[in-house]
Amino acid sequence: MTWPYREAAQGTIPAGLPLAKDARDAYVQTGTNRGHKTLVFADIADSLTRSVESVQNTVSEAFFEPVIRIGVTGLSRAGKTVFITSLVANLIDRGRMPQLVAAANGSIRTAYLQPQPDDTVPRFDYETHLGALTAAKPHWPESTRAISELRLSLRVQPNGILGALSGPRTIHLDIVDYPGEWLLDLALLDKTYEQWSAETLERLQGRDMAQGFLAVAETADPASKLDETDAKRLAESFTEYLHQAREQGYSDCTPGRFLLPGDLAGSPVLTFAPMPKPDRTRRGQLWREMDRRFEAYKSKVVKPFFRDHFARIDRQVVLVDALGAIHAGPKATEDLRRAMAEILGAFRPGRNAFLTQLFLGKRVEKILFAATKADHLHHSQHPRLTAIMDALVKDARSRADFSGAQTAAMSIAALRATVEQTLDHDGDTLDCVRGTLDNGKQAAFYPGELPDDPNRLLGPAREGAEKWLDADYQIMAFQPAHLSLKPGEGPPHIRLDKAAEFLIGDRL
Ligand SMILES: Nc1nc2c(ncn2[C@@H]2O[C@H](COP(=O)(O)OP(=O)(O)OP(=O)(O)O)[C@@H](O)[C@H]2O)c(=O)[nH]1
Ligand SMILES: [Mg+2]
């Protein structure tokens, strides 16, 4: 059902309404406990690096202070920056974290930021992002599209006799923010340039926004001698296609670094494009050179990311803008489901020889799948959003366990921008949320009712439906609410404390 939002009286938003107990608890938890997979020694050098590193980690952790590396990922605009900012702010000021046991019972004495340990990774710009959210005229932080890291240290003194005996401990949380798109590149490791080209070119045939690139590709002869201008033209046109595809909601946009090149822009590892294999291949040929660059992309860009960052993660949060995809329609929802399945492949080391030996038995211990921006819904609908989230990742989960990782699905809002309001409509009541619009006005908004059974959405999406049949789901771009925080209180959120308890509660 479509519902135009209604304008309500202007004013600041009162403090958040308490959530019903059942809504707070609306999360699903599953766990598996299977042994590791067989190791495949395909790349000895990689496995050596990994084992030396784990020895070092073990040594420093045993003698010094434990470090928990938390990876935060999600496709673009999923809510990563807001999540990390609010999580850190709420761990520093813990007044709104009742469901994080160590915060509620006072075990966490203090939390403070420290210089991060990795000198080559940009620092997560916490102060600027928090500044945006808590400004006099609050706004959302800028889009960030690269890896970054932040270290938050917790001083913990467990309660009770044991705690008194052991004295306070320091636990470091290294929070790493990286784009979910980079995980999609994992699939490239299993493919040759020839395979990737064939699949990509086939997929492009049916896509309008790919016609420009296909026309350019027509004019280039893969069997001809390499001409750098040709290679550049092809790569630029292919990059242009990837940008448009992503803008139109497609998630299968590899190679991921073409979209966020950083300081690799213009370098040969990013100057290739899919081309059909010529009958005969020779040295110095355009196709052969592209083949070589594709291999270089895998070994110089994709593998180092997995080795240097991904393989060291202990706990992982996967943020998903499920509401945004549902609002965009069945095609976007199905594409999101497929991208999720691809991304989750990275958490099953057994699926890929390189990952298997990279992990060497180490594993991501916990994975949280969180549907973000749940403050767009009245809490009565949160269990339904959680069920959809759970169903979205179930597919991937049923095909293989996550190598023993414990997983949970939740609906959260890292920064709660709305309050709940029930309005009368034609003698009926509507459970709405109210927030601030771009123009500073307040509006109450009814997003539509999510179905009880997730398959009523995922089924039609999978079957390629153009539109939702019996409903329409709206989403509204609320601005963050103006905050007047009491001392000791972090920004308002929904279930961020529950998320934190799942992620780190057992180690505090
Ligand atoms: N209402 C609401 N909106 C949110 C919340 N979190 C994120 N958003 C919205 O989602 C947008 C994207 O959030 P970010 O945290 O910047 O997302 P990101 O994943 O870091 O995005 P990129 O850096 O572009 O990949 C924000 O600008 C907000 O409009 C939330 O908790 N509540
Ligand atoms: Mg970001």
Side-chain angles (χ1 to χ4, degrees):
M1 129 151 83
T2 319
W3 197 263
Y5 62 84
R6 300 147 168 229
E7 304 260 318
Q10 199 168 342
T12 46
I13 295 183
L17 299 178
L19 283 174
K21 172 85 175 66
D22 61 342
R24 274 190 181 284
D25 290 337
Y27 80 112
V28 184
Q29 190 163 325
T30 57
T32 45
N33 239 335
R34 238 190 255 170
H36 330 139
K37 317 272 162 164
T38 338
L39 296 185
V40 182
F41 291 96
D43 189 336
I44 305 274
D46 280 323
S47 76
L48 281 182
T49 323
R50 173 80 209 136
S51 46
V52 169
E53 202 173 71
S54 357
V55 169
Q56 278 171 349
N57 283 351
T58 322
V59 170
S60 66
E61 290 198 13
F63 289 101
F64 304 104
E65 292 155 347
V67 175
I68 311 175
R69 271 180 88 81
I70 305 174
V72 177
T73 198
L75 295 171
S76 82
R77 312 310 286 149
K80 301 178 287 295
T81 302
V82 176
F83 176 85
I84 296 175
T85 308
S86 184
L87 177 66
V88 170
N90 276 293
L91 285 173
I92 294 178
D93 288 305
R94 295 172 296 283
R96 286 191 213 257
M97 299 292 270
Q99 304 261 333
L100 176 63
V101 175
N105 68 16
S107 298
I108 304 177
R109 296 298 160 90
T110 52
Y112 48 97
L113 290 170
Q114 292 222 69
Q116 71 194 51
D118 295 283
D119 291 331
T120 54
V121 180
R123 179 176 183 271
F124 179 85
D125 194 357
Y126 171 72
E127 292 77 11
T128 305
H129 299 319
L130 186 66
L133 296 173
T134 54
K137 192 169 177 296
H139 51 276
W140 298 105
E142 301 271 302
S143 175
T144 44
R145 311 273 298 130
I147 191 158
S148 67
E149 185 178 344
L150 190 70
R151 168 168 282 194
L152 180 75
S153 300
L154 305 176
R155 197 86 179 128
V156 182
Q157 166 92 60
N159 288 328
I161 299 176
L162 268 185
L165 284 178
S166 61
R169 292 176 296 138
T170 303
I171 298 166
H172 305 291
L173 302 183
D174 287 348
I175 305 175
V176 185
D177 173 9
Y178 66 91
E181 283 83 353
W182 292 9
L183 296 181
L184 296 175
D185 275 349
L186 180 69
L188 299 185
L189 294 181
D190 294 331
K191 288 179 189 152
T192 61
Y193 174 61
E194 183 184 349
Q195 289 167 330
W196 174 75
S197 286
E199 283 172 24
T200 308
L201 289 171
E202 194 190 319
R203 202 181 307 130
L204 262 52
Q205 298 304 328
R207 295 187 181 174
D208 287 348
M209 70 292 211
Q211 300 312 311
F213 165 72
L214 291 175
V216 173
E218 282 276 288
T219 65
D221 176 7
S224 65
K225 191 165 169 306
L226 165 77
D227 173 347
E228 198 53 48
T229 332
D230 277 347
K232 218 170 136 217
R233 208 159 40 92
L234 284 161
E236 278 169 3
S237 162
F238 185 62
T239 308
E240 174 62 29
Y241 151 73
L242 287 176
H243 277 286
Q244 289 187 20
R246 197 189 56 196
E247 228 155 79
Q248 295 186 25
Y250 287 95
S251 303
D252 52 8
C253 302
T254 58
R257 267 346 133 84
F258 278 46
L259 292 167
L260 14 125
D263 50 11
L264 292 176
S267 65
V269 280
L270 298 194
T271 313
F272 66 88
M275 298 203 86
K277 189 177 184 185
D279 295 333
R280 286 188 43 212
T281 64
R282 275 175 286 114
R283 288 252 293 277
Q285 205 180 32
L286 179 60
W287 191 89
R288 273 284 277 274
E289 180 59 16
M290 295 242 160
D291 179 22
R292 196 193 64 73
R293 292 178 185 188
F294 179 81
E295 291 302 323
Y297 180 81
K298 282 164 42 179
S299 64
K300 305 251 163 59
V301 178
V302 182
K303 281 189 177 182
F305 161 69
F306 280 94
R307 185 169 47 221
D308 300 342
H309 305 295
F310 186 73
R312 293 163 57 209
I313 284 168
D314 304 306
R315 314 264 157 126
Q316 177 67 51
V317 189
V318 181
L319 299 174
V320 184
D321 183 8
L323 283 176
I326 293 168
H327 165 64
K331 283 208 162 17
T333 306
E334 173 60 7
D335 192 58
L336 174 71
R337 189 191 62 78
R338 264 193 267 129
M340 288 298 299
E342 276 289 309
I343 285 181
L344 299 182
F347 297 100
R348 305 196 310 262
R351 146 190 154 151
N352 177 290
F354 164 72
L355 269 196
T356 303
Q357 44 85 14
L358 188 62
F359 274 98
L360 277 181
K362 180 185 176 297
R363 63 171 67 136
V364 178
E365 300 152 331
K366 289 179 170 230
I367 311 173
L368 170 65
F369 303 105
T372 52
K373 312 177 194 180
D375 56 332
H376 282 102
L377 294 179
H378 190 271
H379 76 261
S380 53
Q381 291 212 50
H382 289 181
R384 294 180 178 194
L385 179 61
T386 307
I388 290 168
M389 184 68 212
D390 200 45
L392 269 176
V393 297
K394 195 180 209 147
D395 224 35
R397 199 151 63 188
S398 61
R399 260 181 279 143
D401 65 42
F402 291 108
S403 191
Q406 193 189 359
T407 63
M410 287 182 203
S411 302
I412 65 164
L415 190 95
R416 185 175 193 175
T418 65
V419 289
E420 301 188 336
Q421 185 171 27
T422 300
L423 295 176
D424 292 328
H425 173 67
D426 290 346
D428 235 345
T429 58
L430 277 181
D431 287 335
C432 301
V433 293
R434 184 159 62 88
T436 313
L437 301 179
D438 256 354
N439 59 13
K441 286 204 173 137
Q442 290 257 314
F445 166 68
Y446 181 72
E449 188 156 318
L450 293 175
D452 242 345
D453 174 5
N455 284 323
R456 286 198 25 225
L457 287 181
L458 302 186
R462 203 185 284 253
E463 283 149 23
E466 293 289 331
K467 281 172 53 199
W468 301 122
L469 257 192
D470 46 358
D472 211 350
Y473 305 98
Q474 303 298 310
I475 195 145
M476 172 146 281
F478 289 118
Q479 289 301 308
H482 177 75
L483 298 178
S484 43
L485 302 178
K486 293 196 202 90
E489 253 184 8
H493 61 80
I494 298 173
R495 269 178 230 111
L496 198 59
D497 48 349
K498 192 124 205 165
E501 176 64 27
F502 172 77
L503 283 171
I504 54 170
D506 61 322
R507 298 281 302 271
L508 300 178

